[in-house]
Every structure is written in structure tokens, then in C-alpha cells.
Amino acid sequence: MKNEYTVEQLLERVNTVKIAEGNERVRALSQRIVSDLFKTIDEFKVTPDEFWAAIEWLNALGRTGQTGLITAGLGFDRLLDILADEADDAAGIAAGTPRAIEGPLYVPGAPNSAYEARLDDGTMPGQVYVMEGVVRDINGNPLAHASLDAWHANEHGRYSHFDPEQKEYNLRRNITCDAQGRYRFRSVIPPGYAIPPTGPVAELFQALGRHGNRPAHIHFLVSAPGVRTLTTQVNIPGDTYIDDDFAFATRDGLVVTIENVDSPAGYESLGIEGPFARIRFDFVLQPAASEEESKHLSRVERVTA
Ligand code: MBD
Ligand code: FE
């Protein structure tokens, strides 16, 4: 009866069979996940039709490149932030600007400029804004020449690179702060985001009875030597979904204030010619415990979303 198994025996066999050591961490994670899924299938009496429907759904998820949307919507990205916050609290090093999820729509390699930038290409309708501030360490010292990536959605809530309608790197820039750690950029206030109306993510959210909306937000990746790289977002106040983000990413302290500025004086170099909205925001970064912690993220090119 060597090849006849109970559920437990099969699981034991799946989790232990090997012809080489493999990767210990991958083995441990795989064992736990497979065990949990065996349990789920058994407990819920998942039928073969349901099982194969799930496989088809996973294949569609991979084909459309929407896996990062699912993880955000199911809370995994916020989970990573909560765990990192808990680790900081336990180590007594919690400080600075709160982290907020990276999300699946970051693209490395955005055009760089010194001190200031314009993110939009002039075709996006809406309220012109300037966001400006200083990148500092937790003692308030400016971080000279800090690197700041900013990215956000267009008027349809879509992101360049993933949206074939937009020019390369539209609404994405990298700024090298000046010697006083200052940055500023001009763009157009983005609306919220909604998951694509069809496809595997929409199907799951429909089945879960959930919406797939995010409140209006702007993403940031900020780094400098000697401090911990910060991935965060700010929210535009007044959005319907501000406390009901499908990705659970809104945080206290990251909802900005918008000032209405009448005169473009001092903002001419950004091409501002009339009244505009201003957001002032300083980024405060924790000290880095290692060089690794102050690396600007490296991410492989992402396919779609
Ligand atoms: C977004 O714009 C986003 O920031 C996240 C986390 C998920 C989906 C769309
Ligand atoms: Fe986003």
C-alpha cells in the first residue's frame, strides 16, 4: 500500500519529498501554504469544478498581470506596512513620516531633474497644484540631494506604463532635492482609482460584494544616504473613499491640506501663470541601520495592471 495515502500522509509526502536540499525558506513557505490550502479544500468540500475554476482564475490573473491588484485589495500590502510598523515599535525606532503601501503601479527609471519638475504633459484637465517641501532626518536636518520619486493617476484614474493611452512616464518623475533637501513639483490633482471593470480582479470583488475604489492619492519613494528609504502616499482631502480605500492604505498624517494660492509669484519656473493649489509636505526619514536600508527600490519592469 506504499502509494495509497490518507490526506495527512499525502500532505506529509508532498511537504517532504525531495532529491536535493532546494531552498530552505521556499520549502518552509510552500509547506505552510500547501497545508493551509489542503485544509481549506477539505473543510469546505471544494468540488472539482470549483477547483478547476480557481485554476482558470489564477491563470487569468497572471495573464492580465493583476496579481498586485488582488494583493492590495485583500490587504496584503497594508499587512506588510503593519508588520514593519510593529517591528519599528518593538525596536523603539518608530519615527518620521508614516509608510504607506507601494502598490503595483510603481515603475523605476522616471525622468530625473534637479529640485523641481512638472509631472503632467499639459493634456490633463483639472486643478493645477504644486507640492513642495523638504526631505529631513528625524532630527529635522535637511537631507541634501535626497532622491524623490512621485507618481499618480491621470484624469481617468489610470497610470502611465500600464495604460497604453499615455506617453511614457507621464505623471512620473524623479527629483533630486537641492542642497537644503528641498523639492517641488507641478501637476494636476488626480482623481481616485478604480480597478478595471472586467477581468479576474473585478470578478473576485463582485463575488466578495466589494467595491474596487481607491481615494485620490499621490505615491512617493524617497531615499538618501544614511536614512531608511520611505515608500508612502498622500491623500487628497475630501474624497468619498478616503476612509474606505479598497487597498486599506489611507493613514493618519498622510491626508494633506490644500491651500489656494492666488499669485504665481515665485513659481514662474514651473510655468505657473495664475491661481493654483499648493500642498506643503515635508518627508521625515528614519536613520538607516545598514546601507541596504537606504537603497532606492529596485523593481523589475511590471507588465500590466
Ligand atoms: C493603485 O493606484 C494603487 O495605488 C494600489 C495600491 C492598487 C491599485 C491601484
Ligand atoms: Fe496608486
Side-chain angles (χ1 to χ4, degrees), residues 4 12 15 20-21 35 38 41 76 78 118 143 154 165 168 238 243 245 270:
E4 295 302 318
E12 169 74 11
N15 282 342
E21 273 315 302
S35 302
F38 268 40
I41 289 167
F76 288 96
R78 183 64 191 267
R118 179 171 180 173
L143 292 160
N154 74 353
E165 311 271 289
E168 199 182 22
D243 297 317
D245 178 2
L270 284 171

Side-chain angles (χ1 to χ4, degrees), residues 26-184:
V26 172
R27 288 181 56 80
L29 290 168
S30 169
Q31 284 172 10
R32 165 58 77 87
I33 293 165
V34 171
S35 302
D36 288 350
L37 284 177
F38 268 40
K39 218 179 278 171
T40 303
I41 289 167
D42 186 7
E43 190 178 324
F44 288 83
K45 301 290 170 249
V46 171
T47 67
D49 282 353
E50 287 174 329
F51 178 82
W52 290 110
I55 298 301
E56 269 314 300
W57 182 83
L58 282 169
N59 282 340
L61 190 63
R63 262 197 311 276
T64 53
Q66 293 181 347
T67 312
L69 287 187
I70 280 293
T71 62
L74 295 182
F76 288 96
D77 302 42
R78 183 64 191 267
L79 169 69
L80 297 181
D81 282 352
I82 293 172
L83 295 175
D85 287 353
E86 285 181 359
D88 283 2
D89 282 338
I93 59 166
T97 302
R99 50 172 66 84
I101 72 172
E102 178 179 332
L105 306 173
Y106 171 70
V107 179
N112 167 268
S113 57
Y115 173 51
E116 62 181 9
R118 179 171 180 173
L119 272 56
D120 67 299
D121 64 2
T123 63
M124 181 171 167
Q127 169 71 64
V128 172
Y129 75 96
V130 172
M131 182 160 165
E132 63 182 344
V134 178
V135 180
R136 304 178 184 281
D137 68 19
I138 57 171
N139 300 313
N141 302 311
L143 292 160
H145 312 301
S147 172
L148 180 146
D149 264 284
W151 68 103
H152 69 70
N154 74 353
E155 70 272 28
H156 305 298
R158 303 205 184 93
Y159 287 76
S160 65
H161 185 87
F162 304 98
D163 173 11
E165 311 271 289
Q166 293 180 59
K167 283 184 213 145
E168 199 182 22
Y169 292 116
N170 188 39
L171 305 172
R172 300 176 183 276
R173 288 294 181 276
N174 175 262
I175 294 173
T176 302
C177 295
D178 72 6
Q180 283 82 50
R182 293 178 302 188
Y183 75 90
R184 65 181 193 179

